[in-house]
Amino acid sequence: MSWQELALVPAQAPEPADNPLTPAKVDLGRKLFFDTRISRKGEAACVTCHQPAKAFTDGKALAVGDERMQGRRRSQTLFAAPFASRGLFWDGRAATLEQQVLMPIGNTFELNHSLDQVTASLRKLPDYRLMYEAAFGAREPRSEDVAKALASFVRTIRPEPSRFDDFLKGQSQALSDKEVLGLHLFRTKARCMNCHSGPLMTDFQFHDLGLSFYGRRNQDLGRFEVTRDKAHLGQFKTPSLRGVSQAAPYMHNGIFPTLIGTLRMYNNGMGTVTGAPNDPYVPRKSPHIQKLGMSEAELQALAAWLSTL
């Protein structure tokens, strides 16, 4: 997606022709999202990793699913998901939201369940049976219906109105002088808007920040693991910054526990990738990532503005 000016989050998200939004589908998807019966042992649900009070993340460095199984990446915020036209997850392995919502169900480190069994529960449980009929009519439940219902609910997720939204609406006193300075730095010296632009503050693209741990125990080559295209080595999707102060810890691997610490790392040019000069698999850090030369006062101002989102 090309660069966009900062703006209010749209009230409506794009809807695919084969899954138009209806209240009944949203209600069914919401129930599935919050129901632990969607996991094999009944210990986890979608909301386990995507909690509204934490900007639809979970506050953990690495996601923890059913039976306390730990994944290898942090739970992403869902604020950008309704507006993503392709490439969901940190590595972009899901082409559509309907594909994305089903993948955690079968993942052994997440919900560890059978999609057929989840679908079968729609036939057996009275509360689901009535909601299913309202959403899809009197027919046998299908796995694609689970996907459509969950995707419909996710498409209604929006960040809470913020002081920055008030500022965008023309209320100049909504931000303090320090926060306005932070906004200015975000747009200029801090270089944030190279990747975090538009209403959701993401370009929906993939970038290498030098955090792949190439050649080390915690190596994660990001999008390359999906595409096997060397141009994608070490690249991860740009997350939305909406609600970022509630979404700690940060990065795909949750390596930075605080927002100000994350900004200090950006100020220093982020991670360093090492490897043999003739190694074709050494990830190449994005040219957007450079040492910034910002003062501590400027970093604090930037953090203050980000906390208004």
Side-chain angles (χ1 to χ4, degrees):
M1 181 177 290
S2 59
W3 186 93
Q4 296 183 32
E5 185 54 272
L6 300 177
L8 297 170
V9 177
Q12 298 295 323
E15 302 171 24
D18 63 346
N19 191 23
L21 214 63
T22 68
K25 277 192 287 189
V26 171
D27 288 344
L28 177 59
R30 181 184 295 107
K31 184 176 179 64
L32 288 165
F33 189 90
F34 286 90
D35 194 341
T36 57
R37 289 177 293 183
I38 202 172
S39 64
R40 181 175 296 278
K41 289 297 181 69
E43 297 177 356
C46 303
V47 73
T48 302
C49 293
H50 300 288
Q51 301 170 26
K54 296 177 181 176
F56 285 89
T57 64
D58 60 6
K60 297 179 174 66
L62 301 175
V64 177
D66 206 41
E67 295 190 285
R68 307 303 297 168
M69 293 294 287
Q70 187 177 71
R72 62 193 293 243
R73 294 174 182 159
R74 180 175 74 89
S75 300
Q76 271 195 310
T77 175
L78 296 181
F79 290 140
F83 302 92
S85 58
R86 62 180 179 84
L88 290 103
F89 289 109
W90 284 108
D91 55 17
R93 64 186 180 274
T96 67
L97 190 53
E98 279 72 15
Q99 289 182 9
Q100 185 274 323
V101 295
L102 292 185
M103 290 183 178
I105 295 175
N107 189 308
T108 56
F109 291 94
E110 296 182 64
L111 301 179
N112 191 34
H113 210 355
S114 160
L115 181 58
D116 288 340
Q117 290 177 311
V118 172
T119 304
S121 70
L122 300 179
R123 301 185 182 99
K124 298 176 182 177
L125 300 171
D127 51 342
Y128 271 121
R129 185 166 61 246
L130 294 174
M131 295 182 75
Y132 179 85
E133 290 178 1
F136 296 106
R139 71 184 190 200
E140 284 296 298
R142 307 169 184 174
S143 59
E144 57 264 34
D145 296 335
V146 175
K148 288 180 176 180
L150 279 168
S152 293
F153 170 66
V154 173
R155 286 195 175 95
T156 68
I157 291 175
R158 298 290 184 278
E160 291 292 324
S162 68
R163 286 195 291 119
F164 179 60
D165 291 324
D166 294 336
F167 184 83
L168 288 173
K169 293 174 183 176
Q171 300 177 30
S172 59
Q173 300 305 310
L175 301 183
S176 68
D177 290 347
K178 181 178 181 179
E179 291 161 352
V180 171
L181 173 60
L183 169 58
H184 173 68
L185 291 166
F186 182 89
R187 300 174 61 86
T188 55
K189 187 176 181 179
R191 302 174 59 84
C192 306
M193 283 195 75
N194 282 319
C195 302
H196 295 283
S197 67
L200 279 301
M201 298 175 193
T202 172
D203 60 1
F204 295 95
Q205 301 299 316
F206 301 84
H207 303 280
D208 179 0
L209 308 186
L211 299 175
S212 62
F213 287 85
Y214 180 67
R216 288 175 277 176
R217 183 172 61 86
N218 293 325
Q219 174 179 292
D220 187 340
L221 299 182
R223 183 143 178 76
F224 171 78
E225 297 183 8
V226 176
T227 67
R228 291 300 196 266
D229 183 339
K230 292 186 181 69
H232 297 154
L233 282 160
Q235 293 186 353
F236 296 89
K237 190 157 191 176
T238 306
S240 170
L241 294 185
R242 289 286 183 169
V244 67
S245 62
Q246 288 83 46
Y250 302 101
M251 301 298 140
H252 69 276
N253 52 8
I255 194 171
F256 304 136
T258 66
L259 183 56
I260 189 64
T262 304
L263 297 180
R264 288 174 183 143
M265 283 297 299
Y266 273 112
N267 196 38
N268 288 324
M270 269 297 171
T272 300
V273 181
T274 59
N278 61 346
D279 184 349
Y281 289 94
V282 175
R284 303 190 182 281
K285 191 160 61 174
S286 168
H288 292 314
I289 304 301
Q290 302 175 13
K291 290 190 175 182
L292 303 174
M294 296 176 65
S295 68
E296 181 63 21
E298 288 175 323
L299 291 172
Q300 294 289 344
L302 180 55
W305 176 70
L306 289 169
S307 296
T308 71
L309 299 178

